[in-house]
Amino acid sequence: MAPYWTTGACTLLAALGLLSCCSFHWCEASRTSGSTSRGNRQDQGPSSLERVKRGWVWNQFFVVEEYTGTEPLYVGKIHTDSDEGEGNIKYTISGEGAGTIFIIDELTGDIHATERLDREEKAFYTLRAQARDRLSNDPLEPESEFVIKVQDINDSEPKFLEGPYIGSVAELSPIGTSVMKVTASDADDPTYGSSARVVYSVLDGEKFFKVDRHTGIIMTAVADLDRETQDRYELVVKATDMAGQMGGLSGSTTVTIVITDVNDNPPRFPQKMYQFSVSEGAAMGTPVGRVIATDADMGENTDMSYLIKEGGELFKVNTDVETQEAIVSIKKPLDFESKRTHNVVVEAVNKHVDPRFVDLGSFRDQTIVRVSVSDIDEPPIFQPAEGAVMEVQEDAKVGALVGIVTARDPDVKNKPVRFSIDRTTDQEMIFHIDPNSGAITLGKILDRETAGWHNITVKAVEADNHTMASHSAVSIRILDVNDNPPELATPYEASICEDAKPGQLIHTISVVDRDEPQSGHRFYFTLAPEDSSNRHFTLWDVKDNTAGIRTQRSGFNRHEQNVYFLPILVVDSGPPSLSSTGTLTIHVCGCDTDGAIQSCNATAYVMSAALSPGALIALLVCMLILIVLVLLILTLKRHRKGQRMAEDEEDMRDNVIKYNDEGGGEQDTQAYDMSALRNLYDFPEAKSCDSGPDIRSLPQWIQANRVGGGAEGAAAAAADFSLFKGYIRKKVEQADADLSVPPYDSFQTYAFEGTSSPALSLSSIHTLSTTSEQDFSYLSDWGPRFRQLAGYYAPGNPEEEGS
């Protein structure tokens, strides 16, 4: 294929100069198989070893990338030692790019590249070579693998794959402070030549920043970077390959460096004085005005707090955390009349001070806030403002002076003031006040034991403007005088044994006094003058406002006298001294050998000790209620008995007329009075007139006639009976002739049924006790009045009977 290369001889010579490693190297190798370089060979014996010369072997081939010639680029040559140049061997290749990128001359084994190669896309190609007999196509050599490596040239410039970059550095950082690192990548082969050796440099911004030539680390070049002057810088960083030599390729990127803030600026007030105005009547906490100090820093470095250096007695300052403003407000009430202008010195201080910059100056600033107080019409002011406390004796007379309240108009005009008492605090009108002078006097007599203190409210108003009013509390203490005598604490009672010894302590008594003298209570105890020579008991003053009762003799007899009354006189220390007499009741009781009380006037004692007057009244009321209830019950019984007697004596004819139907049989007792019929007809008629009927079976009016005596009574009774029988017979005839009633008897006598009945008994009880199987269901067909009777004679339910 040599004739095809004549036009590119010069290019080939240059390329061959680079391919210093393309020469063939032949070497020896031992074989243990039967393959040889000239077809298949058989070993002479299984145990024979033969050293033969290998057919071919070679190193890798090289081809320069980015070849731009018009002819195919010669890569190399494959050759077998069995080729004697007769042209009977055919060379072939297979693998990556075989037949497309790489072609081979079958006769000579020369390999050429037909396309432009790029190492950055593919650095090497792996192929296999084969030598065959041209006629039989039998392999003459075993297939062998070889590599064609693409030789690198400097055809790729450095690239910043992560750009553009953004970094930051604090202001006032020292020189050489690392900011960030940039990295450029070169696609060329770093193992071959200097195509991939990159160096860095700063094209724009080198006055403030520099970059390390080999590492790409950007550092500060000056120490006075000021965020307040310039808060960011734009740099252009260049990367050049070939270690920066001539002919190297380069690439660049932009780097933005942000200057972060440090607290290097103190707060500053734009003005050295601020003026505000506020009314003297403004409430405490009312804002007067707002001032603010500016700080050239940012973020938390601008946080500041405010404080008052002068004028903090009447004003205070707070910091608005959102706006960083100082809010000056009123701390105490202002008074136009005492001071009309106030100068308040407000200081602003940074919260977060960086110690590195303390030497730069003071991180605080001051300003003056001038507050002008405007006048208003104010209500009167009491003196003292917190209220007055007054004292008065409880025995003071009506109209006596208690005290004087004072109030004045605080305004410049000093208008007159009028006083009054708020009657909601003195509804009983115990006190009065002079409207002009404010003098408080008594309106009623006082009693310290009822109320020891009186709290009233005094109102003061301007004489010509009643809307200007103020109030003050006045506490009046009632001083005690000795106007209540001492009294025994309780109605004391004691018990002694009959065998009491002389000098035995029976009881200890104490007293109470409603007064409260300033020097304290002191009481004296003695027996009443009328009992001062008591020979049974003595009184012993213990000197601690108590006294003890002792026996004066031995032996008491409760049968002779079971109760002793001992009058005791109690005197206080005054002044003036007051006294009262109390009685100690002493019961004489029987005791056992151990001194325990066994019996005495126990019933009376227990009742008197246990029952209070309220309990006794309740007991009497209960007894009275019980008596009234008993009387009511007796009256009601008497009234019912009179009604029953009146019912017994009423005319039975009305009941007979009303009973016009059988109803429910014997159980129906609502139609007429059964007892009246029984009493009326329960007497014998068949007995002889001589003996007469049994008087106990006759009605009361008949009995009375019989008892009246003799034949006259009997004749009168017979006449009355005949008259009644005629009346009954007449009523029966009327009932039988009445067509509006059922055609059966409407009058029956229940006084005596007789011994038997032809119809036998129809009682439901008797029927259930017999074995009769007669069917009475036809009774329900007689109408609603017989359905109940039919139900009684219906066959019983076994379940109901069992229950």
Side-chain angles (χ1 to χ4, degrees):
M1 297 180 66
Y4 298 99
W5 300 349
T6 56
T7 59
C10 296
T11 306
L12 281 175
L13 291 175
L16 290 175
L18 296 174
L19 298 175
S20 60
C21 297
C22 291
S23 60
F24 294 95
H25 301 276
W26 309 96
C27 63
E28 298 289 337
S30 62
R31 295 189 179 182
T32 58
S33 63
S35 299
T36 63
S37 61
R38 299 180 182 274
N40 297 328
R41 297 179 179 178
Q42 300 293 330
D43 294 337
Q44 298 298 326
S47 60
S48 64
L49 295 175
E50 180 183 2
R51 291 178 59 86
V52 297
K53 187 178 182 181
R54 289 193 60 180
W56 58 16
V57 65
W58 53 81
N59 293 329
Q60 61 184 0
F61 295 106
F62 292 89
V63 59
V64 179
E65 67 170 334
E66 303 296 343
Y67 171 68
T68 58
T70 58
E71 298 295 332
L73 178 63
Y74 178 73
V75 176
K77 183 182 183 66
I78 62 174
H79 184 74
T80 178
D81 56 0
S82 62
D83 188 359
E84 299 178 354
E86 298 177 353
N88 54 0
I89 296 177
K90 180 176 68 175
Y91 297 97
T92 62
I93 59 174
S94 61
E96 296 178 340
T100 55
I101 301 176
F102 303 101
I103 60 174
I104 187 172
D105 190 331
E106 294 181 354
L107 294 176
T108 62
D110 295 329
I111 301 174
H112 294 79
T114 61
E115 297 182 3
R116 182 179 179 180
L117 302 179
D118 187 0
R119 190 202 65 84
E120 286 71 35
E121 293 183 2
K122 192 170 180 61
F124 62 89
Y125 297 86
T126 303
L127 296 93
R128 292 177 299 277
Q130 182 71 59
R132 294 179 179 274
D133 186 277
R134 186 176 294 278
L135 297 178
S136 63
N137 202 31
D138 294 332
L140 301 178
E141 296 289 347
E143 188 176 53
S144 180
E145 185 178 276
F146 63 97
V147 175
I148 299 176
K149 187 175 181 181
V150 181
Q151 187 71 40
D152 181 53
I153 64 173
N154 189 20
D155 60 342
S156 299
E157 71 278 3
K159 295 181 180 179
F160 293 91
L161 302 180
E162 298 179 0
Y165 294 87
I166 300 178
S168 63
V169 65
E171 62 176 332
L172 301 180
S173 295
I175 297 175
T177 302
S178 176
V179 179
M180 61 181 305
K181 180 180 180 180
V182 295
T183 302
S185 299
D186 196 321
D188 293 326
D189 189 359
T191 63
Y192 179 76
S194 301
S195 300
R197 292 179 61 189
V198 178
V199 294
Y200 301 93
S201 61
V202 178
L203 295 181
D204 189 7
E206 65 275 8
K207 180 180 178 181
F208 303 99
F209 298 94
K210 60 184 178 179
V211 63
D212 187 274
R213 176 180 177 84
H214 301 288
T215 61
I217 297 176
I218 301 175
M219 298 170 289
T220 58
V222 295
D224 58 350
L225 292 175
D226 188 6
R227 187 201 65 81
E228 289 73 31
T229 303
Q230 185 174 349
D231 61 352
R232 67 177 53 221
Y233 293 86
E234 300 289 341
L235 306 182
V236 177
V237 178
K238 184 177 75 168
T240 306
D241 61 9
M242 295 299 291
Q245 299 177 3
M246 294 294 294
L249 303 178
S250 63
S252 62
T253 185
T254 58
V255 179
T256 301
I257 299 178
V258 178
I259 308 301
T260 59
D261 184 61
V262 296
N263 193 10
D264 59 335
N265 293 279
R268 290 289 182 263
F269 284 102
Q271 301 175 215
K272 290 303 179 182
M273 179 178 289
Y274 296 86
Q275 291 188 350
F276 300 101
S277 177
V278 65
S279 172
E280 66 171 332
M284 290 184 294
T286 302
V288 175
R290 290 172 173 251
V291 297
I292 186 171
T294 59
D295 193 328
D297 296 321
M298 62 182 300
E300 68 174 9
N301 294 325
T302 62
D303 293 346
M304 64 188 72
S305 59
Y306 298 91
L307 53 93
I308 293 180
K309 300 296 292 183
E310 296 180 13
E313 300 83 7
L314 299 178
F315 299 92
K316 63 180 179 178
V317 63
N318 296 318
T319 304
D320 190 327
V321 294
E322 295 183 356
T323 63
Q324 291 298 310
E325 291 178 309
I327 306 173
V328 181
S329 57
I330 299 175
K331 182 179 180 180
K332 291 183 179 180
L334 303 177
D335 187 10
F336 171 82
E337 288 71 26
S338 59
K339 191 172 183 179
R340 302 184 181 184
T341 303
H342 300 270
N343 291 328
V344 181
V345 178
V346 179
E347 184 178 68
V349 182
N350 267 140
K351 287 185 177 180
H352 311 286
V353 178
D354 195 329
R356 297 177 299 172
F357 309 108
V358 173
D359 55 348
L360 295 180
S362 176
F363 284 82
R364 59 184 63 215
D365 193 22
Q366 293 181 354
T367 188
I368 298 176
V369 177
R370 177 166 292 177
V371 181
S372 299
V373 181
S374 59
D375 185 31
I376 62 170
D377 190 5
E378 299 175 89
I381 298 177
F382 282 93
Q383 296 176 346
E386 62 274 7
V389 178
M390 302 178 182
E391 295 181 347
V392 62
Q393 295 283 343
E394 68 172 319
D395 59 349
K397 305 299 181 180
V398 175
L401 178 64
V402 177
I404 299 175
V405 295
T406 304
R408 65 175 182 85
D409 183 10
D411 297 321
V412 177
K413 297 180 180 180
N414 194 15
K415 300 176 182 178
V417 178
R418 299 293 179 263
F419 300 94
S420 63
I421 295 178
D422 185 355
R423 287 305 171 186
T424 59
T425 61
D426 184 24
Q427 296 181 355
E428 298 179 1
M429 302 184 69
I430 300 175
F431 303 96
H432 298 292
I433 189 170
D434 186 278
N436 297 317
S437 65
I440 300 177
T441 57
L442 281 181
K444 290 184 178 180
I445 297 298
L446 300 175
D447 184 11
R448 190 205 64 82
E449 287 69 34
T450 303
W453 284 84
H454 293 274
N455 298 313
I456 63 175
T457 300
V458 177
K459 179 180 179 181
V461 299
E462 293 183 1
D464 57 351
N465 186 4
H466 288 182
T467 59
M468 292 291 101
S470 58
H471 299 78
S472 178
V474 177
S475 299
I476 301 174
R477 180 185 179 184
I478 311 303
L479 300 179
D480 183 51
V481 296
N482 193 25
D483 57 347
N484 292 280
E487 298 175 351
L488 293 180
T490 59
Y492 289 105
E493 293 191 8
S495 299
I496 61 172
C497 297
E498 289 181 303
D499 57 351
K501 304 300 181 182
Q504 180 178 341
L505 180 65
I506 299 174
H507 205 70
T508 302
I509 60 175
S510 61
V511 297
V512 293
D513 194 333
R514 297 177 61 189
D515 295 321
E516 291 184 0
Q518 295 181 358
S519 59
H521 287 291
R522 179 69 181 93
F523 304 108
Y524 304 93
F525 301 86
T526 59
L527 293 178
E530 64 272 15
D531 204 18
S532 59
S533 59
N534 189 304
R535 60 187 181 85
H536 304 291
F537 305 97
T538 60
L539 181 67
W540 172 45
D541 192 346
V542 188
K543 305 299 183 180
D544 61 350
N545 293 337
T546 62
I549 309 299
R550 296 178 181 273
T551 57
Q552 193 171 353
R553 68 181 180 88
S554 62
F556 292 88
N557 190 345
R558 58 175 171 161
H559 299 292
E560 294 179 359
Q561 186 174 353
N562 62 345
V563 178
Y564 292 89
F565 298 99
L566 188 64
I568 300 174
L569 177 66
V570 182
V571 183
D572 61 16
S573 57
S577 297
L578 301 179
S579 63
S580 67
T581 301
T583 301
L584 173 64
T585 303
I586 303 174
H587 298 269
V588 180
C589 302
C591 303
D592 57 12
T593 57
D594 297 329
I597 296 176
Q598 296 294 324
S599 63
C600 55
N601 194 8
T603 304
Y605 177 78
V606 172
M607 289 296 291
S608 62
L611 295 179
S612 63
L616 292 175
I617 293 174
L619 182 61
L620 292 176
V621 171
C622 293
M623 295 177 63
L624 180 61
I625 292 174
L626 290 175
I627 294 173
V628 172
L629 288 176
V630 171
L631 293 176
L632 288 175
I633 292 172
L634 294 176
T635 304
L636 183 60
K637 285 186 176 182
R638 184 180 299 276
H639 179 67
R640 288 182 177 178
K641 184 176 180 181
Q643 287 183 347
R644 187 179 295 110
M645 293 177 61
E647 290 175 357
D648 292 341
E649 294 176 359
E650 74 172 331
D651 195 352
M652 294 298 104
R653 291 175 294 179
D654 292 340
N655 292 330
V656 173
I657 294 172
K658 290 180 181 180
Y659 190 82
N660 55 6
D661 61 282
E662 287 185 340
E666 294 179 355
Q667 294 181 353
D668 190 357
T669 60
Q670 297 180 359
Y672 58 91
D673 189 354
M674 298 284 294
S675 61
L677 292 177
R678 288 191 178 96
N679 294 333
L680 186 61
Y681 294 102
D682 192 9
F683 58 90
E685 296 180 0
K687 292 182 180 181
S688 62
C689 295
D690 296 335
S691 61
D694 187 1
I695 189 170
R696 290 176 298 177
S697 63
L698 296 179
Q700 294 179 0
W701 59 276
I702 299 177
Q703 296 178 19
N705 293 330
R706 289 289 182 93
V707 174
E712 294 179 359
D720 291 338
F721 275 118
S722 62
L723 178 63
F724 186 71
K725 289 180 181 179
Y727 176 77
I728 293 300
R729 188 179 302 109
K730 182 179 179 182
K731 290 298 182 181
V732 170
E733 292 175 358
Q734 290 179 357
D736 291 341
D738 191 356
L739 300 178
S740 63
V741 299
Y744 38 77
D745 294 343
S746 61
F747 178 83
Q748 295 182 4
T749 299
Y750 289 86
F752 181 70
E753 279 188 323
T755 58
S756 63
S757 174
L760 300 179
S761 175
L762 292 178
S763 172
S764 59
I765 299 175
H766 178 72
T767 304
L768 293 175
S769 63
T770 62
T771 59
S772 174
E773 295 181 359
Q774 184 177 357
D775 185 11
F776 294 93
S777 60
Y778 65 91
L779 295 175
S780 61
D781 298 333
W782 289 7
R785 299 186 180 183
F786 289 88
R787 287 178 184 173
Q788 185 175 3
L789 184 61
Y792 291 151
Y793 288 89
N797 191 347
E799 295 179 359
E800 296 177 356
E801 294 176 2
S803 63

